[in-house]
């Protein structure tokens, strides 16, 4: 047999999905597992959005749409970007895709050439390095420090820039740290990108999930920012619509957006017509339900922080957004924990699920090997129960 393509064999499959699947399997076998693994809101999509999808079906809105998305949705996205982010885009600059993940893929397809370097800030969402590699680029990691709340400085970014650097992928609010950058911090980072003429892929998917401070879009930092920034956003996290698969990119100009639309027309054609229809409703209807959801996450975040105070051997790094908290577990490496000696965060995560029936995400593939990530997209009772199990289990460490 001839060999398989390096493009596919060099990709690391998503560990988050594997651990989530393991927790689901145990649950289906009747084991009472508390899962802190969720990368999505735990509530259903709001009823008015579901009703809108039903309306789309009844109206027969079930055919192909333009590859880059319907005119109605692209217009609704422009209105959202104006209203909430102070950004001016024309519908021709928007490409709607099957989730923000595909939007990022399309952008990288469009800007990255073989051998180009793309900077990512660790801890990072584990998909970034894989998508860079698939597109022929080299991910270059800069490590944000825990003592700085996992926020990177402009100097740290600049130290990674070489003649080959093409772009940076930036993510605020951040998965997995929850770090939210303020306008001043973003401006300083943008100055470095302008100075070195880098594209900025600004992943703003968690923008509505902020509990202190406010979101500022990278593209809103002036003309020079706008002309190099691809704003990535979508319906998944803000509207509890992960399964609907609608994300989008706002490109600096219509020409670039057209290229991405052209690529997508051959990759997947248009995103789901019904989901697009319902997304127009989601974006144009009042955000009361969403505000309620955000407030709920805010309460859970405080509860999680409080409960984590009772867990021995860990350090907690608190962020202001998304629905994750980073917990340093490296003090447990080399200790006897329930008869085993963990050496990595993955070992700790495996022991937690096996012996304490608590599922967490080890952060090796997020560029943070001393940490596990806990999601607070779960009920308050489960948060209390799960953290107590972790505390009791870690208390056995010798
Ligand atoms: N960006 C970040 C940082 C994420 O955490 C996720 C999902 O987990 C996405 C993008 C992709 O979202 P989707 O493809 O569901 O729109």
């Amino acid at each position: 047999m001839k060999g398989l393509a390096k493009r596919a064999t060099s990709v690391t499959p998503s560990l988050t999905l594997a651990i989530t699947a393991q927790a689901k399997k145990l649950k289906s076998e009747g084991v009472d597992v508390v899962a802190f693994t969720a990368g999505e809101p735990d509530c259903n999509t709001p009823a008015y959005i579901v009703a809108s999808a039903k309306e789309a079906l009844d109206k027969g809105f079930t055919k192909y749409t333009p590859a880059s998305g319907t005119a109605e949705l692209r217009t609704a996205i422009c209105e959202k970007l104006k209203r909430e982010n102070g950004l001016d885009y024309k519908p021709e600059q928007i490409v709607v895709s099957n989730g923000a993940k595909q939007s990022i893929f399309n952008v990288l397809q469009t800007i990255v050439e073989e051998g180009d370097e793309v900077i990512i800030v660790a801890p990072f969402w584990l998909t970034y390095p894989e998508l860079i590699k698939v597109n022929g680029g080299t991910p270059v990691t800069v490590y944000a420090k825990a003592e700085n709340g996992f926020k990177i400085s402009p100097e740290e970014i600049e130290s990674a820039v070489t003649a080959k650097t093409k772009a940076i992928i930036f993510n605020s609010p951040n998965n997995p740290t929850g770090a939210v950058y303020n306008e001043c911090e973003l401006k300083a980072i943008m100055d470095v990108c302008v100075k070195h003429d880098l594209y900025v892929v600004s992943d703003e998917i968690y923008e509505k999930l902020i509990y202190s401070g406010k979101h500022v879009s990278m593209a809103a930092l002036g003309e020079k920012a706008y002309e190099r920034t691809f704003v990535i956003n979508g319906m998944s996290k803000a509207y509890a619509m992960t399964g609907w698969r609608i994300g989008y990119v706002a490109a600096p100009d219509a020409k670039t957006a057209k290229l991405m639309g052209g690529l997508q027309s051959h990759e997947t054609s248009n995103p789901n017509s019904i989901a697009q229809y319902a997304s127009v409703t989601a974006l144009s209807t009042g955000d009361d339900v969403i505000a309620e959801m955000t407030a709920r996450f805010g309460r859970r975040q405080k509860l999680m922080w409080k409960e984590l105070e009772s867990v021995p051997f860990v350090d907690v790094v608190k962020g202001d957004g998304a629905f994750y908290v980073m917990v340093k577990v490296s003090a447990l490496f080399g200790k006897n924990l329930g008869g085993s000696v963990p050496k990595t965060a993955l070992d700790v995560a495996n022991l937690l699920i096996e012996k304490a029936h608590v599922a967490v995400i080890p952060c090796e593939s997020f560029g943070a090997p001393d940490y596990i990530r806990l999601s607070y997209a779960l009920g308050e009772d489960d948060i209390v129960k799960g953290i107590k199990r972790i505390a009791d289990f870690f208390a056995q460490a010798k």
Side-chain angles (χ1 to χ4, degrees), residues 113-118 138 140 160-167 198:
E113 294 210 83
E114 206 65 39
D116 282 347
E117 291 176 359
V118 179
T138 306
V140 174
V161 176
T162 72
K164 289 185 182 167
T165 313
K166 190 69 160 286
L198 309 182

Side-chain angles (χ1 to χ4, degrees), residues 33-36 42 296-308 310-311 323 325 358 374-391:
V33 176
V34 180
F36 289 103
D42 54 323
R296 196 159 57 237
F297 281 130
R299 287 195 298 275
R300 290 168 177 182
Q301 179 205 51
K302 306 289 173 308
L303 176 67
M304 185 85 139
W305 289 352
K306 188 175 138 281
E307 295 300 307
L308 280 166
S310 68
V311 181
F323 33 62
V325 55
V358 175
L374 267 58
S375 161
Y376 42 90
L378 73 169
E380 295 190 8
D381 291 349
D382 277 339
I383 290 177
V384 174
K385 181 163 84 176
I387 303 287
K388 170 133 191 7
R389 284 185 192 176
I390 297 176

Side-chain angles (χ1 to χ4, degrees), residues 59-92:
K59 280 187 173 169
F61 197 73
T62 52
K63 307 278 192 293
Y64 290 132
T65 75
S68 298
T70 61
E72 291 78 7
L73 180 52
R74 293 203 279 165
T75 302
I77 290 167
C78 290
E79 286 165 4
K80 177 260 177 248
L81 289 167
K82 179 73 186 166
R83 189 174 64 238
E84 298 181 357
N85 309 101
L87 288 165
D88 284 305
Y89 287 100
K90 296 199 173 62
E92 300 78 49

Side-chain angles (χ1 to χ4, degrees), residues 273-353:
S273 62
I274 301 143
Q276 286 192 69
Y277 187 98
S279 295
V280 175
T281 306
L283 287 172
S284 356
T285 312
D287 268 357
D288 296 1
V289 183
I290 307 309
E292 225 173 83
M293 183 177 86
T294 308
R296 196 159 57 237
F297 281 130
R299 287 195 298 275
R300 290 168 177 182
Q301 179 205 51
K302 306 289 173 308
L303 176 67
M304 185 85 139
W305 289 352
K306 188 175 138 281
E307 295 300 307
L308 280 166
E309 284 169 14
S310 68
V311 181
F313 298 108
V314 302
D315 281 320
V316 177
V317 184
K318 297 172 178 172
D320 290 323
F323 33 62
Y324 308 111
V325 55
M326 293 290 273
V327 178
K328 188 174 185 192
V329 292
S330 52
L332 291 161
F333 298 171
K335 287 203 185 313
N336 188 313
L337 188 56
S340 303
V341 181
K343 294 194 180 64
T344 61
L346 177 61
D347 291 345
V348 173
N350 280 332
L351 285 173
L352 274 174
I353 194 155

Side-chain angles (χ1 to χ4, degrees), residues 22 30 48-49 77 84 96 98 140 196 199 204 206 211 215 218 244 248 252 261 275 299 303 355 361 379 391-392 398:
Q22 199 188 343
Y48 65 94
I49 303 174
I77 290 167
E84 298 181 357
V96 184
N98 296 281
V140 174
H196 295 280
Y199 284 115
E204 304 181 8
Y206 288 97
Y211 317 106
H215 176 73
M218 286 291 254
W244 300 63
Y248 58 86
R299 287 195 298 275
L303 176 67
K355 311 241 178 191
I361 301 288
D392 290 348
K398 291 192 276 283

Side-chain angles (χ1 to χ4, degrees), residues 39 99-101 104 125 128 171 175 203 205-206 236-237 245-246:
K101 199 177 256 186
I104 298 169
W125 183 41
Y128 299 146
N171 176 217
N175 173 10
D203 182 349
I205 191 104
Y206 288 97
S236 285
K237 317 286 174 176
R245 311 309 302 133
I246 296 290

